[in-house]
């Protein structure tokens, strides 16, 4: 999935958001055996990775956890959705909640609809001029991934996202205010550009784990084996 060089604009988000194309929705990576250790596709400076960017970090787990995982993802990526609906909760239970892993999500939208979804996750539904907390962000992301097929390829992207957002407490007014926040859109774009230029991210999901970069979905067993090797 090649990274788009085009900046996502407010007009794209609100007016005629195109249905996600097959190439946009195409996932990354191949199926792996459950116990196979994933192969790194490069090294990264983890100290630089963990420096905050334009937006507050959306993180779970202890800051001093021995394993640091930063996931770059796109909301319209089906492999990202698969990871978050089949693997993430179990990894959180086994490693994040037990103090072994700190897990950070960063935005890497490949299309306007993904950017809009991230913006909605970043907005406080009742006060859209304010940013959401992690307690608001992670459930919104989880809901959007579980319902990805409903909104990501809908003919009317705005209407589909509005319907999803109302389940999270948005009104039509707060929904519109969130998606017309140019500063927030710029910050989402900046997060993506930083991941691409500084850390070599060019596919989703991409995981930066203790100085190594891994591209593609992972099963619970695969990610568990990798985490265990670092403990």
């Amino acid at each position: 999935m090649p990274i788009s060089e085009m900046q996502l604009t407010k007009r794209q988000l609100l007016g005629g958001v195109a249905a996600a194309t097959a190439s946009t929705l195409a996932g990354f990576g191949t199926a792996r055996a459950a116990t196979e250790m994933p192969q790194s596709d490069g090294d990264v400076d983890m100290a630089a990775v963990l420096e905050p960017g334009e937006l507050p970090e959306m993180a779970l787990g202890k800051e001093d956890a021995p394993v640091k995982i930063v996931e770059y993802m796109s909301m319209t990526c089906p492999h990202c959705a698969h990871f978050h609906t089949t693997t993430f909760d179990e990894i959180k239970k086994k490693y994040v909640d037990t103090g072994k892993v700190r897990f950070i999500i960063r935005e890497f939208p490949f299309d306007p609809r993904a950017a809009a979804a991230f913006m909605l996750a970043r907005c406080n539904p009742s006060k859209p001029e304010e940013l959401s907390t992690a307690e608001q962000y992670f459930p919104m992301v989880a809901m959007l991934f579980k319902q990805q097929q409903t909104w990501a390829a809908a003919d009317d992207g705005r209407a589909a996202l509005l319907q999803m957002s109302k389940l999270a407490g948005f009104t039509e007014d707060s929904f519109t205010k969130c998606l017309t926040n140019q500063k927030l859109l710029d910050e989402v774009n900046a997060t993506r550009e930083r991941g691409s230029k500084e850390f070599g991210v060019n596919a989703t999901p991409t995981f930066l784990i203790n100085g190594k970069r891994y591209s593609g979905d992972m099963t619970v067993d695969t990610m568990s084996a990798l985490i265990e090797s670092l403990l």
Side-chain angles (χ1 to χ4, degrees):
M1 187 187 299
I3 183 171
S4 170
E5 296 296 333
M6 179 177 64
Q7 285 296 303
L8 306 175
T9 66
K10 183 165 60 180
R11 181 178 179 184
Q12 285 177 300
L13 292 170
L14 288 176
V17 179
T21 62
S23 61
T24 296
L25 290 176
F28 185 90
T30 57
R32 297 186 176 99
T35 57
E36 182 183 349
M37 286 285 286
Q39 295 299 307
S40 165
D41 59 19
D43 296 333
V44 292
D45 181 345
M46 207 63 191
V49 169
L50 294 173
E51 291 177 2
E54 295 288 333
L55 286 165
E57 294 283 39
M58 284 299 158
L60 295 174
K62 294 170 57 178
E63 287 191 33
D64 61 351
V67 179
K68 309 290 196 303
I69 300 176
V70 176
E71 180 193 5
Y72 281 90
M73 66 184 194
S74 179
M75 291 304 303
T76 51
C77 162
H79 281 270
C80 301
H82 185 264
F83 174 81
H84 276 269
T85 55
T86 63
T87 298
F88 178 76
D89 286 347
E90 187 64 24
I91 293 299
K92 179 179 179 295
K93 179 181 177 182
K94 289 174 65 176
Y95 299 107
V96 177
D97 294 346
T98 57
K100 298 175 182 178
V101 166
R102 181 166 176 82
F103 200 105
I104 298 169
I105 286 179
R106 289 188 185 156
E107 294 84 355
F108 202 88
F110 276 107
D111 57 88
R113 199 169 295 192
F118 277 130
M119 291 174 73
L120 291 165
R122 282 284 185 176
C123 284
N124 182 327
S126 59
K127 296 181 180 180
E129 67 280 2
E130 297 180 3
L131 293 177
S132 62
T133 62
E135 290 73 22
Q136 294 167 316
Y137 182 89
F138 280 90
M140 182 68 167
V141 165
M143 179 189 72
L144 289 171
F145 272 142
K146 287 176 183 176
Q147 299 294 326
Q148 189 188 70
Q149 293 184 0
T150 301
W151 61 268
D155 290 338
D156 188 338
R158 187 185 189 283
L161 276 175
L162 175 59
Q163 183 178 8
M164 292 294 102
S165 298
K166 285 182 176 179
L167 298 175
F170 281 89
T171 64
E172 185 160 2
D173 180 62
S174 63
F175 173 88
T176 300
K177 285 180 178 177
C178 178
L179 294 188
T180 53
N181 184 339
Q182 186 62 48
K183 181 176 182 293
L184 177 57
L185 176 57
D186 291 343
E187 289 167 341
V188 169
N189 281 329
T191 300
R192 182 195 64 202
E193 293 303 311
R194 180 186 177 213
S196 173
K197 294 177 180 177
E198 296 186 23
F199 310 126
V201 178
N202 61 11
T204 56
T206 289
F207 302 94
L208 309 181
I209 306 176
N210 283 28
K212 300 288 185 180
R213 184 175 59 246
Y214 302 87
S215 298
D217 190 7
M218 292 192 201
T219 65
V220 172
D221 288 344
T222 299
M223 182 165 274
S224 294
L226 177 56
I227 292 170
E228 291 290 346
S229 74
L230 298 170
L231 293 175

